[in-house]
């Protein structure tokens, strides 16, 4: 798994997952989602635009903990949360999505969560494009659907 993470520009961090972190969740309504962007697959800047928006949201909403650490959940919750940090030259929406964080470059499907569980930044693919959005306090969202 470290090799796949490395191709996406992610480094595994020791320390594991903090106690009490919410399980991976989905099914947020529009009331809980904010600050996102939707990019059509035909856009020649698809991967670049998704990477830029993801990082902008992550910084603005406090995703990164001490040392830039955060939790990552691949598609479908496979393997549970992983504690990671971005490495120089990271590419979650391109190399990451084509290896294990989605179906192909520009077609992401993963969730990033702050170590304190206060915000999630989600990347998802849809029929005509892909999007990135944030969810504040994802553990308190009512009507959520738990994976796994």
């Amino acid at each position: 798994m470290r090799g796949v993470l490395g191709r996406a520009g992610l480094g595994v961090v020791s320390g594991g997952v903090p106690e009490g972190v919410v399980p991976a969740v989905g099914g947020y309504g529009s009331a809980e989602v904010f600050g996102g962007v939707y990019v059509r697959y035909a856009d020649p800047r698809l991967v670049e635009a998704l990477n830029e928006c993801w990082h902008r949201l992550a910084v603005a909403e406090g995703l990164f903990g001490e040392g830039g650490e955060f939790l990552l959940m691949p598609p479908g919750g496979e393997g549970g949360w992983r504690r990671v940090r971005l490495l120089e030259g990271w590419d979650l929406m391109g190399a990451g999505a084509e290896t294990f964080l989605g179906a192909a470059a520009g077609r992401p499907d993963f969730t990033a969560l702050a170590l304190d569980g206060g915000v999630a930044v989600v990347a998802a693919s849809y029929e005509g494009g892909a999007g990135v959005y944030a969810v504040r306090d994802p553990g308190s969202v009512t009507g959520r659907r738990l994976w796994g």
Side-chain angles (χ1 to χ4, degrees):
M1 182 54 68
R2 283 183 189 268
V4 175
L5 288 168
R7 285 194 295 275
L10 294 166
V12 176
V13 177
S14 62
V17 177
E19 203 169 307
V21 167
V22 298
V25 295
Y28 301 109
S30 59
E32 294 91 14
V33 172
F34 66 95
V37 67
Y38 177 83
V39 184
R40 297 191 98 22
Y41 293 133
D43 188 324
R45 292 189 65 246
L46 173 67
V47 169
E48 183 180 354
L50 291 170
N51 273 330
E52 287 172 1
C53 182
W54 182 89
H55 192 261
R56 186 173 50 254
L57 275 175
V59 170
E61 296 304 323
L63 176 73
F64 302 120
E66 191 172 327
E69 297 176 15
F70 62 98
L71 301 174
L72 181 76
M73 178 74 67
E78 185 179 323
W81 293 113
R82 291 172 176 83
R83 190 173 189 149
V84 297
R85 75 168 46 102
L86 295 177
L87 302 174
E88 189 174 328
W90 61 271
D91 180 14
L92 303 182
M93 305 301 172
E98 74 183 0
T99 55
F100 79 109
L101 294 176
R107 287 167 173 70
D109 182 19
F110 66 90
T111 301
L113 182 70
L115 295 177
D116 66 3
V119 67
V121 180
V122 180
S125 296
Y126 305 98
E127 187 173 326
V132 177
Y133 59 90
V135 178
R136 287 189 185 119
D137 197 16
S140 69
V141 174
T142 57
R144 67 183 188 268
R145 181 185 79 244
L146 300 180
W147 292 337

